[in-house]
Amino acid sequence: MQIQTNASLRSYHTFSIEQSCDVLVEASSIEDIQHCYTSHQWQALPKLMLGKGSNMLFTEPFQGLVILNRLFGIRVTESTECWHLHVAGGEDWPNFVKWSVEQGYLGLENLALIPGCVGSAPIQNIGAYGRELKDVCEYVDVLDLESSEVKRLSAHECLFGYRDSIFKHALYGKAIIVAVGFKLDKDWTPQIAYGPLSQFEVTSVSAKEIFETVCQVRMDKLPDPSVTGNAGSFFKNPVISKQQYQCLLEKYPAIVAYEVEDGMKLAAGWLIDRCDLKGFTLGGAQVHANQALVLVNKGNATAQDVINLADHVRQTVWNKYGIELEHEVRFMGATHETNLQTLRGGLK
């Protein structure tokens, strides 16, 4: 277990904005994590478990203990109909998906190149191109911070929703994800209903073709965080009622939307783009010129620049469409998580 004090966080989150924390620990075992939460020397400190930092904006210096997830390992078993993969929480998600396709464990290919680690994936119920984590998740192993024991939650118990799960609600701050179990059908069925995948034929497409197509689309549309600091899609796609959608459709016939169980899901990127915000800059932060859903650090952005830009985007979309955008990126304050509404107030 490696320990640093007054440590820089710049290289541990993909926005690459200079920020610091009181204590930084690299945890390579469950015992290391247990020690962080039970040690008397750190008992009074706020604590944050951090994977790849790909969905995080530190709004100010973190006055607590940041624990880097360095739990690694993959174990594969099989049943008659499925492959069962037990994957440690610190494994890199893009590398894991690439490995699974190469090994012939199919079903994750639509989720290629989503940044982050395996342990973060269930929190957001990550998804892309018609596939969500909940579709392939068998269980999630968590370290219960009250009992200091590892417990297993079934996928059903995780209460997965759109970019949502029990880990954002009832188990927020009470459990750490240490491993995820995946159940992949041996009788693989391709998911090709969305976007560029619809060009394929279900009877002939391979998982490798889907994987490579998704990777290419993401590389073409999204900036590489190792080159340009960003946290991927900054805002969630809003879900509105069908009645509200019909009203908007009459005024904006080209509006992009998909029917979902509880209404219509709008493309947040389309809304931002149609507000002529691509390339819009505040301080060192910018709405990406090619993908309006992504806010980037042009190289010298402060956290406040990103906050100001996100609020401007939120307010502009509200003024034009009457739709409030909710940020997908987590905002971490000095001692606890916060959000744009708390920092900048309600919409006008």
Side-chain angles (χ1 to χ4, degrees):
M1 186 168 67
Q2 299 183 26
I3 304 170
Q4 300 178 52
T5 57
N6 192 27
S8 171
L9 293 171
R10 182 167 190 154
S11 60
Y12 297 112
H13 67 123
T14 57
F15 258 120
S16 299
I17 292 173
E18 187 56 62
Q19 210 58 276
S20 65
C21 65
D22 288 357
V23 184
L24 181 71
V25 170
E26 290 195 35
S28 57
S29 68
I30 293 173
E31 290 74 23
D32 286 347
I33 301 172
Q34 289 170 325
H35 177 74
C36 289
Y37 279 89
T38 58
S39 172
H40 289 296
Q41 74 178 114
W42 298 323
Q43 194 167 25
L45 290 180
K47 298 172 183 66
L48 172 66
M49 195 76 188
L50 190 65
K52 299 294 182 180
S54 60
N55 196 46
M56 182 73 69
L57 175 69
F58 288 94
T59 63
E60 53 188 309
F62 186 69
Q63 298 172 13
L65 169 64
V66 172
I67 308 162
L68 300 177
N69 189 337
R70 298 294 185 259
L71 306 180
F72 301 125
I74 301 174
R75 185 173 70 249
V76 181
T77 57
E78 64 177 302
S79 58
T80 303
E81 297 180 346
C82 300
W83 298 107
H84 303 269
L85 280 57
H86 178 91
V87 187
E91 289 285 347
D92 179 74
W93 180 266
N95 287 341
F96 164 58
V97 173
K98 181 174 184 290
W99 173 88
S100 73
V101 173
E102 290 174 344
Q103 297 298 314
Y105 307 128
L106 310 181
L108 298 169
E109 54 283 338
N110 294 54
L111 304 176
L113 277 194
I114 296 177
C117 64
V118 168
S120 303
I123 300 173
Q124 288 286 107
N125 182 29
I126 60 172
Y129 300 106
R131 177 71 89 176
E132 290 183 313
L133 181 93
K134 68 178 180 65
D135 300 324
V136 291
C137 179
E138 186 171 18
Y139 59 80
V140 175
D141 285 351
V142 301
L143 175 64
D144 186 314
L145 296 179
E146 292 183 2
S147 66
S148 200
E149 297 176 351
V150 175
K151 298 180 179 180
R152 177 162 294 181
L153 301 178
S154 68
H156 177 73
E157 291 173 310
C158 292
L159 303 180
F160 290 124
Y162 173 59
R163 302 297 178 270
D164 201 17
S165 70
I166 194 173
F167 306 107
K168 286 188 172 185
H169 303 285
L171 291 185
Y172 180 78
K174 297 179 181 179
I176 300 295
I177 296 173
V178 295
V180 180
F182 296 89
K183 184 178 180 180
L184 305 177
D185 292 336
K186 291 180 178 178
D187 185 15
W188 173 72
T189 302
Q191 302 296 321
I192 55 173
Y194 284 79
L197 301 183
S198 60
Q199 66 179 300
F200 294 116
E201 294 291 335
V202 69
T203 54
S204 60
V205 67
S206 69
K208 186 172 184 287
E209 287 176 307
I210 293 174
F211 172 81
E212 291 176 345
T213 300
V214 171
C215 287
Q216 191 60 56
V217 169
R218 292 187 71 89
M219 288 188 292
D220 289 344
K221 292 176 61 177
L222 302 174
D224 183 348
S226 67
V227 178
T228 305
N230 72 91
S233 298
F234 198 92
F235 296 99
K236 295 180 181 180
N237 290 322
V239 176
I240 63 174
S241 68
K242 291 184 178 180
Q243 182 179 7
Q244 184 181 7
Y245 168 69
Q246 287 300 326
C247 292
L248 286 170
L249 186 62
E250 291 178 10
K251 193 173 182 180
Y252 307 102
I255 193 167
V256 177
Y258 305 93
E259 187 171 0
V260 292
E261 187 175 338
D262 48 353
M264 298 295 292
K265 183 191 296 183
L266 305 185
W270 186 93
L271 299 173
I272 299 167
D273 186 8
R274 294 311 186 274
C275 287
D276 297 322
L277 288 171
K278 274 185 178 177
F280 183 84
T281 302
L282 279 177
Q286 182 185 58
V287 178
H288 193 254
N290 296 329
Q291 174 50 268
L293 199 54
V294 179
L295 306 188
V296 301
N297 171 10
K298 292 182 65 181
N300 61 344
T302 65
Q304 194 59 50
D305 290 340
V306 178
I307 293 167
N308 292 342
L309 180 60
D311 187 59
H312 177 77
V313 171
R314 181 182 68 140
Q315 188 69 57
T316 303
V317 170
W318 170 260
N319 290 342
K320 182 168 183 176
Y321 296 105
I323 294 172
E324 180 173 5
L325 294 181
E326 179 184 352
H327 52 88
E328 186 173 328
V329 172
R330 296 173 64 190
F331 284 23
M332 188 58 60
T335 59
H336 60 275
E337 195 162 349
T338 183
N339 55 59
L340 194 55
Q341 188 170 21
T342 299
L343 294 173
R344 296 301 301 267
L347 293 163
K348 302 176 181 65

